[in-house]
Amino acid sequence: MPHELISRLLRGNAKEKKILCPLEGSVGSLVRMRVRGIFCLFETRGGKAVISCCRHHNIMTVYVLSDGSGPGSQVPSHLTRIPMALLCPNTNYNNKTVKGEVIHKGPLVRVATDDLILKTIIHEEDAMQSVDCQRMSINMVIFGALAESFSHRVNPGDILWVSGFTVGKSPTVNKDKLHPCNLLLSGDDACIYLQVSKQRPPEPRSPLASRGSSLTPAEDLRTPRAPRYTYVRLDELKNMAVVNVYGVVVFFKQPFKSRGTDYCSSLKITDQSEHKIGCTIFCEKLEDHPRIFQTGDIVRMHRVKVHLYNNSLTLVNTFGFSVVTFSGAVGGGMEPRTSSKSLQLDEDDRRTIEELRAWAACQALLSSVSAAVPLSAVQPNTYFDLICQLLAKASIDSTCTLLRVWDGTRCPHALLKVIVEPNSTEGPSSFSKHKESHIANVLVYDNHVEFSRHLKPGAFLRIYNLRAIPGSSRVPGLTSSQPVEPDHLAFHLHGGTSYGRGIRLLPENSPDVQELRRAMEAFLDHQDEEVSELNDSELLEVWSTPPEFIDGDVVDCRTERCCDHQLQLVTLSQVKQSAGGQTHHVRAQIGSYEPRRLHRALKLFCCSCSAIQDVPDEELLAGIFSEATRCPTACAPPPWALSGHVDLPGDASASQQHSPSVHLSTKLMTEGKTEQLIFLMGCSLEETQHLAAAYPNVVPVAPSGGRLALMDLTAPFLFRGTDRHYGCKRCSEAAVREPSAAGVEQVDEKMIAESETCCTSCS
DNA sequence: GGTTAGGGTTCG
């Protein structure tokens, strides 16, 4: 194939890509060829091969502009800037450049074996350029090595100058309301000049990076390189050295406010050398501190300095410090906990972590440490960690705050009651009798009062070194008229940070929170049974909202009502004081609602067979997805699909050991709608959502009987942005088929549902 | 390239 033809194809419109060419060699349904450095994908059709896709595998990548003399000064002078608003298809943009700030960066998606695609949105700031807002942000599609380099180098907030691009019509303009064109970057000429956002922390200086020149070509990240970091064992530390270390946490304190400008974390780590080394971390921002949940966690620290203090070596963070924490559970997840934007995590790191986990599991390192205890197992006169959900909180006085928490289990001991004013409570001031019996009142003192100020009801917490005290003495807020209850268990979080005393917010994805949710779910299921036996007044208490009756007349009941604002606005307290049977106009903020788990109040409705089914809750869905990820079985992709692997960006890919794959319809590809529909296999719910943000239609699939199949119909069969579309378990016959979008401008849920023989019941 | 803290239970 002549090089000129391919060059034309690369720059040309979609129609030109359908040129027929003679079949060369053995061709299956798809074949890949390399012609003068250009990868072409051919699809057989009637003894001829049709070019499906072809990309130049260029090596040049993203240029990072040097700091200094002002933005844009190093962009080559032969390039003239063109306002984004003036871009239109089929125009020659040689020697032109478009400038914009990255406002969205999609994941790097691998299609076939050698091609990569990344979608990003850039925004043009300068007001002088255009008054048309829609034309101020544009989708940019980057192919090949440039996409890979972009994925590693560029982040939202960075400023780009783009050249060597072509301009095509945007297939998503109706949906995303962005510029009607796309910027397409592939081939030799495509070039990106990058000005890293000032807000972004600088990356560590690589010894490989060249210095002194105004333009620094980014490293070619596909080539294996020497390990970026070396780690020093804890028995080989030398005073005053700046080192990188790995260690198992044997002691830690949550960050606390120092007398200086920073928060201070104190921890002690060990490794196979059995040396225990204390570490002190000073950082102004809490998020830059080690995110340690429990002893046994593994930390990796870069750029800590060895100091000698009291004849012991200690580590203190120094310039360019970064830390990442992992669970210490053998065989556990590798989700990195870090604020670092440029996390590097390779096979060596994973091996080091697994080795430390395996080693620590055989050591008696953690035997003396207080483990987390559920409320059902709390013993009087002990210190323990409590993993719980905050339901409500109330300030008692300047040195004491009440946290009302639960973990779904019930403490066998009678618990201290603390009476506070309902209007001083954040969160619900009362609960059903059943739930109340599962709630622990935790009194936190002194420095923990300040931290508690930031906590919101609903948050998941780990409270460290909580003390269970029987026969409580007088409690602040208790008036003399209230009897002291001698045999009740009180929970105190004393002031100070001894023994790591403190509170930590747990993220939703932590295994502890997932376990907590299971316990709460079990509680709620049990409560549902009880509610059905409750009488009316108890129901009122549970639902907190009076039934829709006024003077015995049924009030019009709709999901949404409009207020005509004819009545005078009154306060809730005025309503409470007024006689019944009146209509009021109030404006109020929702303090709480029941049922807390809204998915219980919403149902999916099938318009074909009128079946009603529950909306699955997130945890159940996450379980279905992770189950499908865990059991990778061999699966032949359908003959109509072009298959490849997905590289998820940053942390996500680093933390997953699975290998997600993507299947694209070759038919859609030839119709120029490649990205309109992707079939995704082996991704977690979170990853699927992530990709759904970048691609208009994402169908999760799983192997079944050696073939590609839809997932269990409990799960959505289609993600469209944040919308989820479900099949009907009763009447949908789910199957994966190649969709046809001939003559259709845009792929939508209806079209997909029809081709999947799956009815949309709700979204 | 400068401070902070430098684990080891409150005293409610």
Side-chain angles (χ1 to χ4, degrees), chain A residues 13 37 61 82 86 304 316 335 341 359 410 414 440 454 600 613 622 690 709 741 763:
Chain A
N13 59 28
T61 55
I82 177 163
L86 301 184
V304 280
V316 181
E335 287 81 13
K341 300 279 191 304
W359 171 78
R410 184 174 181 165
H454 307 294
R600 287 163 176 266
Q613 63 189 59
H690 192 75
S763 57

Side-chain angles (χ1 to χ4, degrees), chain A residues 383-431:
Chain A
Y383 288 94
F384 66 103
D385 290 359
L386 180 66
I387 297 166
C388 57
Q389 185 182 35
L390 180 65
L391 293 172
K393 65 172 185 176
S395 172
I396 303 288
D397 59 38
S398 64
T399 67
C400 180
T401 293
L402 168 70
L403 301 181
R404 308 208 72 211
V405 302
W406 76 319
D407 67 1
T409 73
R410 184 174 181 165
C411 182
H413 303 275
L415 299 180
L416 173 81
K417 292 183 184 65
V418 183
I419 295 152
V420 290
E421 286 290 312
N423 56 12
S424 70
T425 304
E426 189 178 334
S429 55
S430 68
F431 295 88

Side-chain angles (χ1 to χ4, degrees), chain A residues 442-454:
Chain A
V442 175
L443 293 162
V444 308
Y445 292 94
D446 304 339
N447 49 321
H448 311 302
V449 168
E450 174 57 29
F451 183 84
S452 301
R453 253 190 265 284
H454 307 294

Side-chain angles (χ1 to χ4, degrees), chain A residues 185 363 564:
Chain A
L185 277 96
Q363 309 295 311
D564 57 11

Side-chain angles (χ1 to χ4, degrees), chain A residues 54-103:
Chain A
C54 70
R55 302 275 169 255
H56 203 291
H57 239 251
N58 61 332
I59 299 302
M60 286 325 292
T61 55
V62 176
Y63 288 103
V64 183
L65 296 172
S66 66
D67 296 335
S69 48
S73 62
Q74 288 98 358
V75 174
S77 55
H78 70 276
L79 295 175
T80 50
R81 192 173 148 203
I82 177 163
M84 205 177 266
L86 301 184
L87 293 171
C88 56
N90 305 321
T91 308
N92 182 350
Y93 290 107
N94 277 347
N95 299 327
K96 294 281 190 295
T97 180
V98 171
K99 180 190 171 188
E101 178 188 340
V102 177
I103 54 171

